[in-house]
Amino acid sequence: MIPTPFYLIDEARLLQNMQKIARLRELSGAKALLALKCFATWGAFPTMQPYLDGSTSSSLFELRLGREKFGGETHAYSVAWSDTEIDEAISYADKIIFNSLSQLDRFADKAAHIDCGLRLNPRFSTSGFDLADPARPFSRLGEWDMTKLMAALPRISGVMIHYNCENRDFDLFDQQLTRIETEFRDFLRQLKWVSLGGGIHFTGEGYPLEALAARLRAFAERFGIQVYLEPGEASITGAASLEVSVLDIIDNGKQVAIVDSSIEAHMLDLLIYRETAKLPQTGDHAYQIAGKTCLAGDIFGDAKFPAPLAVGDRVSIADAAGYTMVKKNWFNGVNMPAIAIRRADGNGTIELIREFTYEDYRSSLS
Ligand SMILES: *Cc1c(COP(=O)(O)O)cnc(C)c1O
């Protein structure tokens, strides 16, 4: 048995998502690129590669990892490239998407031999959370001035529009795409490709995949463009858990089980968005599951079990693939969870693909 804590990627579940992506690509004609900022565990890339067209990035390192480890079509995006990064970035990229007209002005000549694009900000989004809302007031994420965008046309062949956030509502997606079609019609007609970014939850249970495919195909045909999608969360939703063990149980009016992990260090996104972890909820024995750092609010959430917990018991925290392994950190010097894959080979073979040690902690600082 692999010692806890470890992230456990379930290859069979991952493949279910991949098959939905492949079906959407086939029905819609859209291309799909894995957004590495959500999930960059490259040990799982061989499982994913056959179902995706490539990867997209938000920095030089993600871009390089995508080129080296994912392959296929590699899109480069960054909120701002530096002078020291740009040549290397262009050497890895099939397309480079500039966040602003000033970055395009600065670097378009260097990138003239590959496809260039701009980020278009439609000034609306589906994000209900200010922190992650690209359409928030004074947003720095993309351009919207039509006159300036039109003037940039000779230097770009496409745009990236990322405005969805875990959007499960196809009707809302449809309405917002219609709004984009209407507001940016004359501009879109002159492009070769449009990426609609990530945040469309089309691998979720019950999502009308066929309707989405038809809508994307209609969009592509109306404007004569190649559509791209950049699924992050949709690629890996439900495809991993965080396996932890109980280290101590404290009764402070509430039964608190302290586990060998930390929400702050290992599932930081939940803390930032003030969500609780997906914990077991069957049985009559209630516990608060808490992390082992000294942060008072290092709490995964409330759980229920069929029997009382004991020190050494294992707890599985669901939906731990997206924005977890890419965000884990060394807070409190708590060791990082290992990474393992349960193979879809019928035997449930669990393969340990990465372990972290004191040397990794030490070498992350100096
Ligand atoms: C974050 C992001 C994605 C992936 O978003 P998900 O919600 O994980 O699908 C894709 N494209 C861009 C530009 C992003 O910023």
Side-chain angles (χ1 to χ4, degrees):
M1 251 212 318
I2 297 170
T4 59
F6 61 97
Y7 298 101
L8 178 57
I9 297 165
D10 186 329
E11 191 175 40
R13 294 287 301 274
L14 184 59
L15 284 167
Q16 285 174 13
N17 293 341
M18 292 298 110
Q19 280 149 8
K20 286 185 185 172
I21 293 176
R23 183 160 162 71
L24 181 67
R25 286 165 66 211
E26 198 181 297
L27 293 175
S28 68
K31 293 187 181 182
L33 308 173
L34 178 65
L36 297 183
K37 85 157 193 272
C38 172
F39 183 83
T41 307
W42 46 269
F45 288 176
T47 306
M48 307 172 83
Q49 274 157 344
Y51 304 91
L52 288 151
D53 294 285
S55 67
T56 188
S57 51
S58 31
S59 67
L60 179 63
F61 287 176
E62 283 186 1
L63 170 62
R64 180 174 173 181
L65 190 77
R67 172 54 76 208
E68 286 180 2
K69 294 286 188 185
F70 205 97
E73 205 173 322
T74 308
H75 285 198
Y77 167 73
S78 167
V79 170
W81 300 103
S82 76
D83 288 332
T84 55
E85 293 175 326
I86 190 70
D87 292 322
E88 194 184 343
I90 290 165
S91 79
Y92 303 132
D94 294 299
K95 284 187 176 59
I96 187 159
I97 298 154
F98 296 104
N99 182 65
S100 68
L101 286 157
S102 52
Q103 285 256 305
L104 179 74
D105 288 343
R106 206 173 159 78
F107 298 126
D109 285 349
K110 283 177 178 280
H113 59 290
I114 59 170
D115 281 331
C116 290
L118 267 172
R119 179 166 183 168
L120 172 67
N121 186 329
R123 303 181 88 182
F124 55 80
S125 81
T126 69
S127 177
F129 208 100
D130 199 40
L131 182 66
D133 182 3
R136 62 188 274 152
F138 312 108
S139 173
R140 71 194 184 298
L141 302 173
E143 297 282 356
W144 54 76
D145 185 308
M146 231 342 93
T147 316
K148 289 184 189 160
L149 283 164
M150 283 292 199
L153 272 172
R155 289 175 297 160
I156 61 169
S157 55
V159 289
M160 184 267 280
I161 320 173
H162 173 67
Y163 62 106
N164 285 281
C165 185
E166 299 208 22
N167 183 6
R168 289 176 169 74
D169 181 347
F170 170 70
D171 292 332
L172 178 62
F173 173 79
D174 178 27
Q175 285 159 24
Q176 291 196 333
L177 188 56
T178 301
R179 212 171 140 185
I180 288 171
E181 289 175 322
T182 312
E183 286 178 28
F184 302 102
R185 188 179 49 222
D186 297 336
F187 177 65
L188 295 176
R189 277 212 185 99
Q190 304 191 54
L191 301 174
K192 291 194 173 65
W193 55 273
V194 171
S195 173
L196 293 173
I200 311 168
H201 220 63
F202 62 87
T203 52
E205 208 63 50
Y207 191 94
L209 202 70
E210 282 75 15
L212 176 65
R215 185 66 183 87
L216 294 175
R217 188 171 279 284
F219 174 59
E221 284 170 3
R222 190 162 303 145
F223 296 98
I225 45 173
Q226 172 65 52
V227 172
Y228 286 86
L229 298 174
E230 303 175 357
E233 188 61 43
S235 303
I236 47 67
T237 190
S241 56
L242 176 60
E243 302 293 317
V244 301
S245 295
V246 176
L247 298 177
D248 195 11
I249 295 170
I250 288 168
D251 185 352
N252 285 332
K254 194 168 189 170
Q255 295 277 325
V256 180
I258 299 168
V259 298
D260 54 0
S261 177
S262 157
I263 190 167
E264 163 86 9
H266 308 151
M267 294 190 94
L268 181 59
D269 231 40
L270 294 177
L271 203 59
I272 289 174
Y273 292 100
R274 294 184 205 122
E275 290 171 19
T276 58
K278 290 184 184 156
L279 292 158
Q281 297 297 346
T282 41
D284 297 329
H285 301 272
Y287 293 85
Q288 179 184 81
I289 305 297
K292 65 174 287 182
T293 74
C294 59
L295 179 74
D298 191 351
I299 296 164
F300 286 96
D302 292 321
K304 282 182 183 153
F305 300 91
L309 279 184
V311 169
D313 283 354
R314 291 199 173 198
V315 177
S316 181
I317 304 172
D319 212 4
Y323 300 99
T324 53
M325 288 168 257
V326 291
K327 283 196 166 192
K328 63 184 162 37
N329 60 66
W330 288 111
F331 184 57
N332 264 221
V334 174
N335 196 8
M336 288 182 172
I339 303 174
I341 302 185
R342 185 192 288 118
R343 293 293 174 193
D345 60 3
N347 304 321
T349 313
I350 294 180
E351 209 178 296
L352 187 62
I353 60 168
R354 180 76 160 102
E355 279 177 290
F356 299 92
T357 61
Y358 168 70
E359 282 69 34
D360 293 312
Y361 167 63
R362 192 184 57 195
S363 67
S364 76
L365 297 163
S366 91

